[in-house]
Amino acid sequence: MPAEIKFFWARLNANYWFYPALFSIFAAFLAIAMIWLDRSGFSSFLNNVEWIAPARPKGAADMLTVMAGSMIGVAATVFSITIAAVAYASGNYGPRLLTNFMEDRGNQLSLATFIGTFVYALIVLRSVRAEDETPASGADAAATILPGFTPQLSLLVAYILMAICVGVLVFFLNHIPSSIRINKVLEGIGNRLLVAIRATYPIEDELGEAREAQGGKELTAWDTGYVQMIDFADLEEIAREHGAIISLVVRTGDFVHRELPLLRIDGADPEELEDELRGCFTLGPTRTPEQDPQFLIDELVEIALRALSPGINDPFTAITALHWLGAATAEIGRRDLRKDVCGDSEDCPVIPRADGFDHYAERGFGTIRSAVATSHAAAQVMLEALENASVPIQHPGRRAILRREAEALLAQARNELDGPDLKAVEDRFRLYAQRIPARHVREAS
């Protein structure tokens, strides 16, 4: 399957409109099915149920009218509240978080439930016939013992949907304020990052490093944009079919433009396979979380950098982001960094771009270092996060990389802080050095 189709499906159910559209279609079919059951006489047993009072046509029409009107009103309110929450979150935490809130399943399903109920009520309302109207068919006349036509079973289902909507509304009113709390936002990003790391590097405790690329002829980009998805399965199939080795020059999330290399192929002519190979890449205007753990790392870093900016000055938000960044770094540090893009195959002909542990450490802690150094509280927590990340990592070279990050932070803090603030950071570094000795750096060298 081409990368464009896979990416389209991956992003389709992430769109804010997808579940409302799906629920509307389902509600329409449900309404048609319920009306058919009513017209066929399957609902006649309800007339004998004492605790269910049969509705008259006017009462049914009034109830369905109120239900349809209230549901579309509530749906509009839900949409407005969601947009307000999204504007608040993206303005305070960063524009990259806009995608997270628009993809939130709670928001999507809440809106979908109200719109679906509106569609159901509207379609059922159309079938109600007043007492003085002529039956449309013999089935209509036999559907109920009361004059006119009242879809009793359809109305009962409408009541059930109304009860569900009340529950969903209560859930939504609790979910929105909870979802924009910064700790909840960071928890969501952190957990998604840990899941993405485990999916990208599934082998734990072997501590292998990424494969180095092989040479070959280059295939360049044909357009401008971010690499949003790479179809590794199709690349493997192409490589095996032509007996070639494909080494990727880009990773998912990289920005490319015309004439920049995408990959190098050894053993085949890229010009002959150009159309097939380019079909394995999806380019677009924005980065997405698919196949891109660094996107989530960048989100944590962005929140921390904003929190430490002079205009906001919220070191405690940065501290929470550092804790999640430390957990993610420790997860990467204990894993085999050879991407298994060919499944269980040992002779994979596709070599992804090598991302070593130093790359991830620099992308996270390295990017945030200069801002953290301006706050003695954040600097101490970053040293703690580096120390805690080093504890489960058994690879001396990877522990040495984290120690170098700690040393670089100390050097930066000496340029930014002085007095008791600097002394507190230096004391915390000495505690770190006692637990992670400098000999690890020498061993790695």
Side-chain angles (χ1 to χ4, degrees), residues 90-105:
S90 60
N92 285 272
Y93 310 144
R96 285 181 181 81
L97 291 178
L98 179 64
T99 303
N100 297 33
F101 284 92
M102 297 304 288
E103 293 180 2
D104 185 275
R105 287 288 183 266

Side-chain angles (χ1 to χ4, degrees), residues 4-147:
E4 287 85 356
I5 299 176
K6 288 185 177 180
F7 180 76
F8 172 77
W9 175 248
R11 301 307 304 163
L12 179 63
N13 56 19
N15 282 309
Y16 192 60
W17 54 264
F18 178 73
Y19 283 101
L22 192 65
F23 276 41
S24 297
I25 296 171
F26 174 76
F29 280 107
L30 178 64
I32 293 170
M34 291 298 103
I35 293 170
W36 179 82
L37 290 175
D38 278 308
R39 290 185 184 279
S40 301
F42 288 100
S43 62
S44 58
F45 72 94
L46 293 175
N47 297 318
N48 300 320
V49 179
E50 295 182 358
W51 57 272
I52 299 180
R56 292 279 185 172
K58 186 178 185 307
D62 290 344
M63 181 57 65
L64 291 169
T65 301
V66 170
M67 185 181 299
S70 61
M71 285 303 101
I72 198 63
V74 172
T77 303
V78 166
F79 179 76
S80 300
I81 293 175
T82 301
I83 294 302
V86 166
Y88 170 83
S90 60
N92 285 272
Y93 310 144
R96 285 181 181 81
L97 291 178
L98 179 64
T99 303
N100 297 33
F101 284 92
M102 297 304 288
E103 293 180 2
D104 185 275
R105 287 288 183 266
N107 297 340
Q108 291 178 341
L109 294 176
S110 296
L111 181 62
T113 302
F114 298 128
I115 291 181
T117 303
F118 164 75
V119 171
Y120 178 88
L122 207 61
I123 293 176
V124 173
L125 177 61
R126 183 180 179 275
S127 70
V128 177
R129 190 186 71 252
E131 297 176 356
D132 57 348
E133 291 184 76
T134 303
S137 66
D140 286 355
T144 176
I145 62 173
L146 296 175

Side-chain angles (χ1 to χ4, degrees), residues 142-423:
T144 176
I145 62 173
L146 296 175
F149 176 69
T150 304
Q152 303 288 350
L153 184 59
S154 302
L155 194 61
L156 180 61
V157 172
Y159 283 134
I160 295 173
L161 291 177
M162 178 65 86
I164 292 173
C165 287
V166 172
V168 170
L169 181 60
V170 173
F171 160 78
F172 178 79
L173 294 177
N174 174 74
H175 175 72
I176 279 292
S178 174
S179 65
I180 62 176
R181 289 174 54 239
I182 186 58
N183 285 349
K184 190 71 174 178
V185 172
L186 289 169
E187 179 191 14
I189 298 171
N191 284 328
R192 287 180 69 187
L193 176 57
L194 293 176
V195 170
I197 290 169
R198 291 163 187 157
T200 305
Y201 305 111
I203 302 176
E204 190 173 356
D205 295 331
E206 288 195 11
L207 306 180
E209 297 298 334
R211 291 174 62 188
E212 292 299 326
Q214 294 187 198
K217 297 180 181 180
E218 290 184 350
L219 176 69
T220 59
W222 69 98
D223 203 351
T224 302
Y226 291 96
V227 179
Q228 295 180 320
M229 196 173 211
I230 301 173
D231 193 336
F232 290 106
D234 280 3
L235 283 176
E236 178 190 4
E237 183 178 341
I238 294 169
R240 292 192 186 281
E241 182 180 348
H242 296 87
I245 301 294
I246 296 176
S247 301
L248 296 178
V249 180
V250 298
R251 64 176 71 86
T252 310
D254 285 351
F255 186 83
V256 298
H257 53 77
R258 292 181 61 190
E259 305 307 323
L260 280 184
L262 285 177
L263 55 83
R264 294 186 177 92
I265 182 167
D266 184 22
D269 187 355
E271 293 184 0
E272 297 179 359
L273 308 176
E274 184 173 348
D275 292 339
E276 294 181 73
L277 291 172
R278 286 181 174 173
C280 298
F281 293 83
T282 300
L283 303 183
T286 59
R287 292 175 61 189
T288 62
E290 277 76 27
Q291 295 185 343
D292 187 9
Q294 295 167 115
F295 179 83
L296 299 168
I297 293 175
D298 291 346
E299 284 189 337
L300 291 176
V301 170
E302 180 180 16
I303 291 175
L305 290 175
R306 280 175 169 263
L308 292 171
S309 64
I312 298 178
N313 192 23
D314 179 15
F316 295 102
T317 292
I319 285 171
T320 306
L322 285 167
H323 285 152
W324 283 105
L325 197 59
T329 303
E331 195 70 34
I332 295 171
R334 64 165 68 99
R335 293 185 174 273
D336 188 335
L337 298 184
R338 291 169 291 188
K339 290 182 181 179
D340 188 17
V341 298
C342 296
D344 298 328
S345 176
E346 296 182 357
D347 59 338
C348 183
V350 178
I351 305 175
R353 178 169 175 175
D355 290 328
F357 183 73
D358 56 340
H359 167 78
Y360 287 107
E362 177 61 29
R363 190 83 180 218
F365 288 116
T367 305
I368 207 175
R369 182 195 313 127
S370 59
V372 169
T374 63
S375 168
H376 75 281
Q380 292 180 75
V381 171
M382 179 167 163
L383 289 170
E384 178 188 0
L386 288 167
E387 178 184 315
N388 291 338
S390 299
V391 170
I393 297 176
Q394 304 302 317
H395 193 289
R398 295 180 183 179
R399 300 183 77 178
I401 289 170
L402 295 183
R403 182 186 170 92
R404 284 196 289 268
E405 288 293 337
E407 292 172 346
L409 174 61
L410 178 62
Q412 189 80 25
R414 285 172 174 161
N415 292 329
E416 303 289 345
L417 304 174
D418 54 20
D421 288 348
L422 177 58
K423 183 177 183 303

